[in-house]
Amino acid sequence: MSKKTWMAAVSVAALTGMVFGGAGSAKADELFVFNWTNYTSPEVIEKFEEETGISVTLDVYTSNEDLMAKLRAGGATYDVALPSDSYVARMIEEDMLHAFDARSLSNFDNVTEPHDAPYYDPERQYSAPYMWGTTGIGYNKAALEDGEELEHSWKELFEPREQFQGEIGMLDEIGDVMQAAAFYLDIDACTEDPDDWRQIQELLLDQREHVKVYSATGTDASLVSGEILMHHMWNGAAHRAWREDSNIDYLYPEEGVVFWADNMVIPNSARNIENAKKFINFMMSEEAAAMTSNFTGYSNTVRGASAMLSDDLRESPAVNVPEEFGDRLKMIPPCSQRSDELRDRVWTRVLQ
Amino acid sequence: MSTREAQAERPVEPQAAPQSAPQAAKGAMRGDLGAVRREMARRLALLTPAMGIIILVMVVPLALMLTYSFLTSARYGGVIWEFSTDAYLQFLFVRDLDDSLLFNDTYLRIFARSFGLSLATMGVALLIGFPAALFIALQPPKYRTMLIFLVTIPFWTNLLVRNYAWILLLRDRGLINNTLMDLGVISQPLPLIYNNFGITLGLVYSFIPFMVLPIYASLEKLDWRLVEAAYDLGANRWEALKRVIIPLAKPGIIAGSVLVFVPSLGAYITPQLLGGGRNLMIGNLIQLQFGASQNWPFGAALAFILLAIVLLALVLWALRARRSGTSLKEVEIG
């Protein structure tokens, strides 16, 4: 065999090894975590690794649908994943989750109401709370005229003032976008009426010419760099942007603000269930929760963690929901299949 | 003996290489049957790993995709094992409230945009790549290797990272716009990103080595005495280029064009990042089906429709090329 043939044979063997070796077997000291981007504090992971000797591997995703698709496709197995509220209900319905009874974990006593018994898993059989937050509008006050003030309304995002036209960023998260449009038009986001969806589609198509980018990653960075002047965004990202530039402000639209909660679950395919439970319990400790909030800019659900929060979190306009806006927060419910189909059609039409 | 001289000898015996293997077999046949068997077994053994890999990583996944595209979509991703042609119908039609089919051009438009952008990418890559390849082929051999090496350098960095780098260059407050505005050349930032321009630029940048390398390969083998003959016969430089160099470089040009066009069609990262996610291309549409829309059969069907169109185009191209004297078989890379 010539030298070339050998080289080829060796590289094929190496490649095959990579493909099949990647699916390695479970070890006692391993944990595979699948979390949203920018949502895991490296310090917390380090601390967990130090305390338990378990080595954590982190992989990330940018939407609940991606998470479900990855889990369903198999191949990679994760021990802990973090779906949002309604997706926990869907995953339970689809029998994708391992029941581990979060209430039996020692740190669960730290969990505050209403996160100890949410609608999507009232007994906390399959999930434990991680962070919660809101989806609203972040914008740069530097773009305003002297004395100009924005209304707390989705109007500012969907029918932007002149200085924000062409400078808008929208989340490319179908659920958040549709819910925001539905709030603004005062339509039930789970509607099965094509006329309702037609109205939503019109609104989004009209808005499209003012939108610079549809993206859910790096929303804070594009706001700080001035690349985007107004972004449909999650409050933690708005907080991180505000920390960099105090001109960044956050709106709580009066028509309704999406309120969401992310949860730690153990997928059915998990290999290191005991390690996963240790991790989930650890994350519900006061210190880990506080560290995670300090890193992500989102609120945690752990009693006693607030003492350890950094000062900027306590002052941030994006984190502390003003008392009078409290009743604006609403969760996105899971919708019917028919409603989801119409929703997908509108979304594709908007992005075509 | 220089490389150029060595290549000049090639046309004398162009058929030599492909015939040597069958001749060896014939020689063996004249010997004993055992030798033939051994020869066949040896070839089979050598072919097996390659065939195994192709079947494992190409045929099996494609068969899976084809199967999925004819199944029914499950509620939250995944499939139900019931035969259905809905995925293919969905490409052109929408079911109305009363379940009648209405023509829907949403997906066709996305396909049309992808083909348009990929053709533009191919055209620009050819306009830049051909002169570059010609320039490299005209350098002394010791510089050529160096220049070809330079062409491949971008591949050393991950595509995602390079696309992010382009964002920093192209955005409204990026390096290019800031510099031009500081110099007073423009007062408003140029719209360089989050549009078709940004996508095309990113695609050309990503895939241009695939254009340069095959064209260089065919130019490097070119018998330059033919060009000298053209000059002797009174051709000027343009005539020599048009009537001698380009026709002889045609296999490389075709290979380069195919190699740029096909991956551009399936591009995913570039339209997402440099297009701002506003203008979907086929790759993004397919991702959307496996992600947010949770409709795997439709995603699989889209991938298959794309595959069918590309294969059809290549077959037609090959047929036409064969009729006009060049076949894809002649196209060699490297």
Side-chain angles (χ1 to χ4, degrees), chain B residues 142-325:
Chain B
K142 57 173 176 176
Y143 294 128
R144 280 188 228 162
T145 326
M146 180 68 190
L147 288 168
I148 283 298
F149 173 72
L150 288 178
V151 170
T152 61
I153 277 191
F155 282 130
W156 295 14
T157 315
N158 182 290
L159 183 66
L160 195 63
V161 176
R162 286 184 278 145
N163 272 280
Y164 270 110
W166 274 109
I167 295 183
L168 298 182
L169 290 176
L170 297 178
R171 60 183 184 185
D172 284 1
R173 284 161 187 79
L175 190 68
I176 296 176
N177 273 319
N178 268 354
T179 311
L180 289 177
M181 277 174 9
D182 288 348
L183 290 174
V185 183
I186 49 172
S187 56
Q188 285 290 314
L190 297 171
L192 301 174
I193 199 173
Y194 307 135
N195 51 30
N196 287 341
F197 174 82
I199 298 178
T200 313
L201 182 70
L203 289 177
V204 168
Y205 165 77
S206 304
F207 297 125
I208 203 161
F210 293 127
M211 183 65 89
V212 175
L213 295 178
I215 296 182
Y216 167 75
S218 56
L219 285 177
E220 199 220 3
K221 285 184 303 209
L222 195 137
D223 183 353
W224 292 93
R225 291 176 307 182
L226 294 173
V227 182
E228 284 160 23
Y231 285 141
D232 289 346
L233 292 170
N236 57 26
R237 295 178 103 176
W238 170 243
E239 286 279 317
L241 180 73
K242 198 175 73 177
R243 297 176 62 171
V244 179
I245 299 178
I246 291 182
L248 285 172
K250 207 170 153 194
I253 293 176
I254 292 175
S257 302
V258 172
L259 286 175
V260 171
F261 182 72
V262 173
S264 297
L265 261 186
Y268 168 70
I269 292 174
T270 305
Q272 189 73 28
L273 292 180
L274 301 180
R278 300 178 79 241
N279 300 302
L280 293 183
M281 280 178 73
I282 301 172
N284 313 90
L285 182 62
I286 294 174
Q287 195 273 341
L288 198 59
Q289 301 314 316
F290 285 94
S293 298
Q294 302 186 317
N295 188 344
W296 292 16
F298 187 47
L302 285 172
F304 250 88
I305 293 168
L306 175 63
L307 187 73
I309 295 175
V310 171
L311 277 183
L312 197 69
L314 287 183
V315 168
L316 288 178
W317 202 339
L319 284 179
R320 231 190 101 233
R322 187 181 298 168
R323 219 170 291 145
S324 69

Side-chain angles (χ1 to χ4, degrees), chain A residues 11-51:
Chain A
S11 24
V12 165
L15 202 69
T16 328
M18 262 151 61
V19 171
F20 295 100
S25 50
K27 284 191 207 129
D29 52 353
E30 275 187 335
L31 183 75
F32 292 91
V33 177
F34 200 26
N35 200 356
W36 298 71
T37 54
N38 248 336
Y39 207 33
T40 321
S41 159
E43 287 172 33
V44 171
I45 298 291
E46 254 170 52
K47 195 160 186 311
F48 175 73
E49 287 182 330
E50 254 169 49
E51 279 182 19

